[in-house]
């Protein structure tokens, strides 16, 4: 009888698809080299399947916890799944294995998303609201390193998703057959490991700070289910808060009466967080710049006060901070942003528009597409990246260097003769991740149309050079903040006058790669004015002198600023 026919008659080969024939001694049966290799390959695939499933069950959701010790634990979900798969008949077992595999693959992908979001935003992925951010992620890659890289990244993500789902499903199906063939061993092993899991859970046993009795998959599902519930509650709370606005019905002639005739500039500095002032590697450079800036402003006749605001976002999502600052509402996700910016809520900038006492403009170099929110913010005109006249190169993600944006504001609006008072919202973006290459400060008369920056970009560091070393990343981040804020101060000193009022602040902390997940969500804010009466109006705020808030400076939530500013500068609240 042929050997092949004999091997098919072995009873244990009919209970599992994909494991191949095996002999009692584990050598695989058959005498030829062909039959030696086939069982060996099957055993390797089985081991790889077990490792893949075990890794998925124990994978943490944060890169900080991705250590060898994280995979030396007992996953209770694996024990329960093994028992279920063993007791089921063959056909239901295969269906259950496929469902388990797909589910485990989806949880693995969710873990990957959590890792990415914790690394960039210090929070987990929101499965209800964060899908829209993939468009922003693709745009960031495209704007930073080009369209080809963005297409490659999208293809890579698609391949990863398919591979994880397919391989995880195949791995679980393979293991289910193995467990079914060895029911006795499976029951004894799960009983021993289950007892060990219970004992470790009761004793609180840990490996490298992680519990030996692991329940990662169950905890992940529970955590994200609670996040979905929280996001619904957040939306209801935001709706209730938006319904209350003490300035909604204030007559225009009773809004901002103490600032009439002033040029008011609100400037956001990208990723300018508290860490820049207090983290040892960045504080020396940034602190020296702020001290020097305070002195420059004083010599030019300007006074300043500073404090901290707590941002609703971290590492990214600048528009959430901008809308929180402007609306007086705590806006922490895209759904909240969309609902508020399509409502009739009065923003701080639109309050200036209501009075008809200011021309309101926006300098938005980071806006590269249509931006309908400009109407919500009450801006008469928005200068985006296509309307600032820039003819130079991009610097990393930043489409336009901040010194050029300020120079363009002077040329297009502030420097015009016989103009009406201005309210300007200026978004400064040179301190945006990845901080490579960075522009350099040049003479204001050298800025021109921006073509001068071609040579400056060539001399700058590449992203690969900077991001190979965490210390280098923090150093370049500090350089970017120093560049932006020092140019903002120099602009006020050079072009400001007795009617200039500047409020500048950070939008959020930089990514955790810079902050080490320290220093919270606070960002510096400073108010600069030539007229002493402007600062007299905030004497009760307790803000500190200068543009560098110290460790003991007041800290407000960012959504508290709008109403306090409106009240301080003569706006009359209504019931």
């Amino acid at each position: 009888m042929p050997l092949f026919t004999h091997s098919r008659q072995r009873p244990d080969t009919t209970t599992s698809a994909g494991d191949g024939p095996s002999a009692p001694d584990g050598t695989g049966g058959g005498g030829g080299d062909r039959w030696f290799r086939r069982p060996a390959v099957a055993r390797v695939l089985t081991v790889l399947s077990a490792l893949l499933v075990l890794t998925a069950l124990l994978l943490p959701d944060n890169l900080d916890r991705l250590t060898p010790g994280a995979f030396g634990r007992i996953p209770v979900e694996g024990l329960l799944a093994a028992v279920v798969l063993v007791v089921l008949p063959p056909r239901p077992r295969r269906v259950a294995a496929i469902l388990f595999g797909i589910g485990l693959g989806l949880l693995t992908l969710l873990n990957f998303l959590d890792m990415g979001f914790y690394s960039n935003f210090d929070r987990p992925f929101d499965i209800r609201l964060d899908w829209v951010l993939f468009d922003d992620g693709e745009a960031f890659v495209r704007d930073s390193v080009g369209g080809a890289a963005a297409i490659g990244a999208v293809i890579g993500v698609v391949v990863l998703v398919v591979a994880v789902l397919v391989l995880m499903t195949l791995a679980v199906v393979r293991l289910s057959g193995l467990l079914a063939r060895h029911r006795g061993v499976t029951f004894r092993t799960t009983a021993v490991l289950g007892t060990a899991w219970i004992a470790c859970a009761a004793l609180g046993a840990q490996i490298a700070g992680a519990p030996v009795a692991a329940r990662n998959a169950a905890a992940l599902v529970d955590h994200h289910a609670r996040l979905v519930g929280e996001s619904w509650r957040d939306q209801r709370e935001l709706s209730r808060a938006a319904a209350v606005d003490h300035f909604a019905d204030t007559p225009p002639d009773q809004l901002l009466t103490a600032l009439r005739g002033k040029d008011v500039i609100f400037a956001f500095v990208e990723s300018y967080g508290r860490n820049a002032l207090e983290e040892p590697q960045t504080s020396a450079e940034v602190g020296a710049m702020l001290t020097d800036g305070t002195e420059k402003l004083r010599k030019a006749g300007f006074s300043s006060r500073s404090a901290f605001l707590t941002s609703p976002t971290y590492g990214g999502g600048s528009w959430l901070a901008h809308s929180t600052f402007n609306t007086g509402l705590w806006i922490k996700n895209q759904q909240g942003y969309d609902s508020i910016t399509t409502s009739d809520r009065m923003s701080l900038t639109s309050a200036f528009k209501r009075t008809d006492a200011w021309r309101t403009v926006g300098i938005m170099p980071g806006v590269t597409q249509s931006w309908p929110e400009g109407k919500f913010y009450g801006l008469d005109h928005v200068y985006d990246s296509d309307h600032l006249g820039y003819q130079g190169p991009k610097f990393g993600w930043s489409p336009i260097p901040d010194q050029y944006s300020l120079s363009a504001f002077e040329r297009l609006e502030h420097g015009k003769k016989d103009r009406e008072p201005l309210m300007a919202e200026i978004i400064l973006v040179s301190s945006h991740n990845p901080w490579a290459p960075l522009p350099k400060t040049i003479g204001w008369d050298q800025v021109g149309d921006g073509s001068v920056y071609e040579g400056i970009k060539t001399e700058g560091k590449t992203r690969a050079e900077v991001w190979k070393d965490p210390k280098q990343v923090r150093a370049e981040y500090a350089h970017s903040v120093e560049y932006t804020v020092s140019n903002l101060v120099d602009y006020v000193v050079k072009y400001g006058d007795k009617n200039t009022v500047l409020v500048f602040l950070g939008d959020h902390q930089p990514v955790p790669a810079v902050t080490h997940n320290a220093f919270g969500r606070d960002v510096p804010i400073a108010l600069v004015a030539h007229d002493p009466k402007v600062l007299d109006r905030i004497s009760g705020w307790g803000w500190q002198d200068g543009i560098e808030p110290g460790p003991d400076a007041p800290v407000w939530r960012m959504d508290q600023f709008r109403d306090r500013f409106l009240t301080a500068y003569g706006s009359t609240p209504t019931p």
Side-chain angles (χ1 to χ4, degrees), residues 259-265 296-303 358 409-410 413-423 488-503 527-535:
L259 289 174
R260 300 298 170 97
K262 305 294 185 186
D263 293 321
V264 182
I265 301 170
K296 285 182 179 179
L297 290 167
R298 187 191 64 78
K299 289 182 177 179
F302 290 89
S303 299
W358 283 272
F409 171 59
E410 182 63 23
E413 292 286 349
H414 187 263
K416 290 182 176 179
K417 295 182 179 180
D418 302 322
R419 59 171 175 78
E420 57 189 317
L422 283 170
M423 189 293 301
L488 184 58
V489 169
D490 289 347
Y491 173 83
V492 172
V493 170
K494 183 176 179 62
Y495 297 110
D497 57 31
K498 63 180 181 180
N499 289 320
T500 300
V501 177
L502 168 67
V503 178
L527 195 156
V528 179
H530 196 284
D531 185 350
K533 293 180 181 178
V534 173
L535 292 180

Side-chain angles (χ1 to χ4, degrees), residues 275 279-283 285 434-436 438 461-480 510-516:
N275 72 295
E279 204 277 332
Q281 192 176 339
T282 60
S283 60
E285 178 179 349
W435 310 298
L438 292 177
K461 297 178 181 179
T462 66
R463 176 173 181 152
E465 290 177 310
V466 170
W467 282 82
K468 66 183 180 181
D469 180 5
K471 291 184 178 179
Q472 185 83 332
V473 172
R474 289 190 289 274
E476 294 306 303
Y477 163 74
H479 296 339
S480 73
V511 294
V514 175
T515 64
H516 313 287

Side-chain angles (χ1 to χ4, degrees), residues 95-112:
V95 173
I98 291 173
L99 294 177
F100 284 170
I102 294 174
L104 190 56
L106 291 173
L107 289 180
T108 301
L109 294 172
L110 185 57
N111 262 326
F112 288 159

Side-chain angles (χ1 to χ4, degrees), residues 178-253:
L178 178 68
L179 297 175
R181 288 200 312 275
H182 303 286
R183 284 182 172 82
V185 174
T186 299
F187 281 125
R188 289 193 297 272
T189 303
T190 53
V192 171
L193 290 177
T195 302
W197 189 94
I198 294 172
C200 290
L203 296 173
Q206 294 187 346
I207 294 179
V212 175
R215 51 183 299 273
N216 283 26
L220 184 69
V221 172
D222 177 68
H223 182 52
H224 280 275
R226 287 189 287 108
L227 285 178
V228 170
E230 289 175 7
S231 68
W232 283 111
R233 288 193 295 273
D234 289 342
Q235 186 62 26
R236 291 195 296 269
E237 291 174 5
L238 180 62
S239 298
R240 286 195 294 268
V244 179
D245 186 350
H246 298 298
F247 296 96
D249 298 320
T250 299
D253 61 355

Side-chain angles (χ1 to χ4, degrees), residues 263-477:
D263 293 321
V264 182
I265 301 170
F266 295 101
F268 284 90
V269 179
E270 171 67 36
S271 300
Y272 178 36
R274 184 170 191 145
N275 72 295
L277 280 62
E278 298 182 5
E279 204 277 332
Q281 192 176 339
T282 60
S283 60
E285 178 179 349
V286 175
M289 176 271 297
L290 293 173
T291 299
D292 181 62
T294 298
E295 183 60 19
K296 285 182 179 179
L297 290 167
R298 187 191 64 78
K299 289 182 177 179
F302 290 89
S303 299
S304 54
R305 302 287 185 274
S306 58
F308 290 104
L309 300 180
T310 302
S311 175
T313 186
Y314 190 110
S318 303
W319 58 95
L320 304 179
H322 300 169
S323 56
T324 294
F325 179 84
N326 257 298
T327 64
L329 298 170
W330 192 250
I331 301 173
K332 55 189 281 189
N333 55 50
Q334 189 65 33
Q335 182 179 36
Y337 177 82
D338 291 339
S339 65
I340 292 302
T341 55
T342 54
S343 72
D344 59 358
R345 176 80 175 186
M346 186 185 77
S347 66
L348 180 56
T349 48
S350 65
F352 286 85
K353 172 69 173 177
R354 286 192 184 190
T355 67
D356 285 327
W358 283 272
R359 171 170 166 78
T360 59
V361 299
I363 305 296
M364 309 286 181
V367 174
T368 58
Q369 304 176 26
S370 62
W371 192 59
E373 293 93 324
K375 182 178 180 181
F376 169 79
Y377 288 117
L379 301 176
D380 292 321
H381 190 80
V382 173
Y383 295 93
D384 60 19
S385 60
D386 292 330
H387 296 90
L388 287 169
Y390 183 64
Q391 300 300 314
K394 293 175 60 176
F395 286 81
W397 176 87
S398 174
I400 298 173
D402 289 337
Q403 188 180 12
Y404 179 90
S405 295
L406 293 168
S407 178
F409 171 59
E410 182 63 23
R411 169 172 48 86
L412 296 169
E413 292 286 349
H414 187 263
K416 290 182 176 179
K417 295 182 179 180
D418 302 322
R419 59 171 175 78
E420 57 189 317
L422 283 170
M423 189 293 301
E425 182 174 3
I426 302 177
I427 310 299
L428 301 172
V429 296
S430 290
S431 50
H432 194 291
N433 176 8
W435 310 298
L438 292 177
K440 295 181 180 179
T441 299
I442 58 179
W444 291 92
D445 57 350
Q446 296 178 296
V447 173
D449 65 359
S451 56
V452 67
Y453 288 102
E454 290 286 357
I456 295 174
K457 179 179 180 179
T458 302
E459 296 172 357
K461 297 178 181 179
T462 66
R463 176 173 181 152
E465 290 177 310
V466 170
W467 282 82
K468 66 183 180 181
D469 180 5
K471 291 184 178 179
Q472 185 83 332
V473 172
R474 289 190 289 274
E476 294 306 303
Y477 163 74

